Amino acid sequence: MTTPLDIAIVGATGSVGETLVQILEELAFPVATLHLLASMESAGSSVMFAGKKIKVREVDSFDFAQVKLAFFAASPAVSRSFASKAQQAGCTVIDLSGALENALAVVPEANGDSIATLKLPALITSPSCAAVALAVALAPLKEQLGIERVQVMAALAVSAQGREAVSELARQTAELLNARPLEPRFFDRQMAFNLLAQVGPVDEHGHTGVERRLVEELRVLLGLAKLNISVSCIQVPVFFGDSFSVALQCREPVDLAQVNQALEQADSVELVENDDYPTPVGDAVGQDVVYVGRVRRGIDDSQQLNLWLTTDNLRKGAALNAVQVAQLLIKHMV
């Protein structure tokens, strides 16, 4: 029997933090004592876990020597301030912010074996929601196809930017439906019934941080350091659930029967046959898999494979992946 662990969640009152609490309970993760932490503004509230109310405390005054494992689901600034301190106190950190440059990025279905190489306590990254979805879908195809290039159009839900973004989309939608003047607040322009061509500010080359992070993490997760990846991330007026249009350029002509078989047998993948297709609202939200549909060769290129993916960005893309990484870690921590 696995020995229960004392665990902390930093950012426990945010969307991902609350989902982490929910999934730890759903999966009966071996928790001895759960410490819920947040900023001074959010401290003092309570969150239910295993039938009990747990009070949220300030992260600034917490002694990480009390726990063996900490999930960081807060801002990059919080991770930069406290993650190394937690590790020095003997606590392994699973960070979801992308702020820890030297931390190992892990998606169990793609590179779960890399956990065995870690010396604990360690700093680990649970990658961006988009990288998790793509790694889960592409890992079972990597060897078979000899992927040479990946092109991705990522349609990202607003929930990745937190509750304020969700509230903003809801407010804008209500204002427009009631014929009231629209005043953008969180977003710099109308988000409701609209598409925004970038997610976050761009660098001097026109790429956003979200896009660069996705490229770097996907190369690590697939073990293809020189893989040619082209990414465009757009913000769509969807509350929950990311979707992706993916084109793979392969070394040899694509055998669709083999591709479908590999996807059907892959962990955490749900293949939707070509007479249908998955959507975030109708399929992905609330589920723990990556849905794959519209599997087809290129119109005039037999070495191209086109896919459509969708997944729950808060569950599979963020919180569930982090907990699954923790499940792999357990045997190294007792």
Side-chain angles (χ1 to χ4, degrees), residues 246-269:
V246 183
L248 308 178
Q249 198 64 37
C250 310
R251 283 197 300 266
E252 303 291 338
V254 174
D255 185 325
L256 285 181
Q258 290 184 1
V259 168
N260 286 331
Q261 183 179 22
L263 291 170
E264 286 175 345
Q265 295 174 350
D267 292 336
S268 303
V269 171

Side-chain angles (χ1 to χ4, degrees), residues 308-330:
W308 170 256
L309 317 178
T310 188
T311 194
D312 188 321
N313 57 306
L314 292 186
R315 284 188 66 90
K316 182 56 186 168
L320 179 60
N321 187 75
V323 174
Q324 289 175 323
V325 171
Q327 289 176 321
L328 291 180
L329 278 170
I330 288 177

Side-chain angles (χ1 to χ4, degrees), residues 242-298:
D242 292 341
S243 299
F244 308 86
S245 177
V246 183
L248 308 178
Q249 198 64 37
C250 310
R251 283 197 300 266
E252 303 291 338
V254 174
D255 185 325
L256 285 181
Q258 290 184 1
V259 168
N260 286 331
Q261 183 179 22
L263 291 170
E264 286 175 345
Q265 295 174 350
D267 292 336
S268 303
V269 171
E270 183 72 26
L271 177 64
V272 178
E273 299 299 334
N274 280 335
D275 59 348
D276 197 4
Y277 59 89
T279 68
V281 174
D283 300 286
V285 174
Q287 303 302 312
D288 294 339
V289 297
V290 176
Y291 285 85
V292 181
R294 299 215 64 205
V295 180
R296 63 206 188 279
R297 280 189 290 263

